[in-house]
Amino acid sequence: SISNWQIALETVQSYPLLFEPGTSGNYSSTNYILLGLLLEEVYGMDIERLIEAHLLLPLGLESSGVRESTPGRPGKGTGNMYSSMEDLARWVNARWRTEEVVATRVSKEQDRFAGELTGYGEWSFCPCQTSPATGLTYSALGISGGDITLRYYPVKDIIVIVRMAGGIWDGGREEYLNKIVTTIVKAL
């Protein structure tokens, strides 16, 4: 039987390219599927087990895991993860505060793509730009279809995790969220 990730790759192949490779960028879950398949080939294990063995277990993220693939959530590196708020805080700490997960040199390389939206991935790559409006610099990660934001403010050494049921991106909610979080962080 054909898997959900195979269906996703076959579907995207039926569409024309948006631009010539190497000339621009655009978010695509299929790129994460391809990366997941490449990592499986290199490491000789399923991407789901690789994530568990090399990220979740070493960081003590006991309430986090990888869901089974379903239609619309093809898996193979496209997310499909669940986590508790406590584990999300541990992740932010390991990712940005202690750099246990991604070293500064990798973050600096990511900075080349700071203007690109990467979907469920990071934005405001470090070294981050300080917002002229707030005077604060932060690293951020959006997950769960855009209803959770994880942020680390290095100047204040503060981790902020906010979940907005229904999503952050619709109806001006992002601006509202940023105003509230900025007010609180600046007051601390």
Side-chain angles (χ1 to χ4, degrees):
S1 99
I2 190 164
S3 67
N4 293 311
W5 64 265
Q6 289 170 314
I7 293 169
L9 289 179
E10 286 179 7
T11 300
V12 80
Q13 288 176 9
S14 67
Y15 290 91
L17 292 175
L18 296 175
F19 46 81
E20 286 297 313
T23 63
S24 189
N26 193 26
Y27 174 79
S28 173
S29 289
T30 53
N31 291 340
Y32 288 103
I33 294 172
L34 294 173
L35 177 60
L37 293 170
L38 176 64
L39 290 170
E40 288 182 351
E41 184 72 26
V42 170
Y43 287 95
M45 67 171 58
D46 288 341
I47 187 66
E48 295 81 5
R49 302 304 71 84
L50 189 65
I51 290 169
E52 288 172 1
H54 293 276
L55 288 174
L56 303 181
L57 291 175
L59 294 174
L61 304 180
E62 297 173 5
S63 298
S64 300
V66 182
R67 292 185 185 103
E68 293 297 317
S69 169
T70 61
R73 290 185 182 169
K76 289 294 175 211
T78 61
N80 285 16
M81 295 187 70
Y82 61 89
S83 191
S84 67
M85 294 299 258
E86 183 178 74
D87 277 4
L88 291 175
R90 284 187 184 133
W91 171 258
V92 173
N93 185 63
R95 169 60 181 99
W96 289 306
R97 184 184 276 156
T98 65
E99 295 183 344
E100 293 172 66
V101 178
V102 179
T104 301
R105 67 177 181 76
V106 176
S107 290
K108 286 181 181 176
E109 184 65 21
Q110 289 174 330
D111 193 43
R112 293 185 309 132
F113 302 101
E116 302 288 334
L117 254 170
T118 56
Y120 295 130
E122 299 175 18
W123 65 90
S124 279
F125 292 123
C126 286
C128 305
Q129 299 292 321
T130 300
S131 166
T134 65
L136 294 172
T137 302
Y138 68 90
S139 303
L141 178 75
I143 65 170
S144 264
D147 68 356
I148 297 176
T149 184
L150 312 175
R151 298 179 179 192
Y152 175 57
Y153 293 85
V155 172
K156 300 261 188 173
D157 195 30
I158 294 174
I159 292 172
V160 175
I161 301 173
V162 178
R163 178 168 192 255
M164 291 183 78
I168 294 168
W169 311 118
D170 296 328
R173 297 180 93 195
E174 179 187 14
E175 184 178 333
Y176 176 72
L177 170 72
N178 287 334
K179 184 177 180 180
I180 290 172
V181 171
T182 298
T183 301
I184 292 169
V185 171
K186 287 180 93 173
L188 296 174

